[in-house]
Amino acid sequence: MLQDEPKNEVVARSDAPREKKPSFFARIVLFIRQVFAELRKVVTPTRQELVKFTAVVLGFVLVMMAIVYGLDVLFVWIAQYVFGIPGA
């Protein structure tokens, strides 16, 4: 394992000769360090960004619901036209 100088992150070296596999607990500690290093990169959105992203997602869901509903109505109409409804 190698620590990246600019960001001080723990990374795996690919050009290094094959080393002895670290112990189970050492691998767990390395994993936890890498998790914390990734969590430091997380940026929390502002309230305005959060509202905007939520509106975009809800708008996309509504558009997709309309498309699926339209296709459903179209396929029902085609099925009724092709097979007919007895007694209708």
Side-chain angles (χ1 to χ4, degrees):
M1 296 296 134
L2 175 72
Q3 280 199 331
D4 191 17
E5 292 299 324
K7 298 180 184 176
N8 201 20
E9 295 176 353
V10 179
V11 294
R13 266 178 79 169
S14 59
D15 62 342
R18 196 88 168 146
E19 297 176 3
K20 189 178 114 180
K21 189 175 182 180
S23 70
F24 177 72
F25 294 108
R27 286 184 284 160
I28 290 175
V29 169
L30 175 64
F31 173 75
I32 292 172
R33 284 183 186 165
Q34 289 175 338
V35 167
F36 283 126
E38 289 297 320
L39 284 175
R40 279 188 224 108
K41 298 178 187 178
V42 174
V43 178
T44 306
T46 64
R47 184 175 186 85
Q48 183 181 6
E49 290 174 332
L50 189 62
V51 169
K52 185 178 9 174
F53 295 156
T54 302
V56 168
V57 169
L58 290 177
F60 178 77
V61 168
L62 287 174
V63 168
M64 293 308 296
M65 285 173 53
I67 291 171
V68 169
Y69 175 76
L71 288 173
D72 183 50
V73 169
L74 175 69
F75 291 145
V76 166
W77 181 80
I78 290 172
Q80 287 177 348
Y81 181 76
V82 170
F83 298 112
I85 302 285

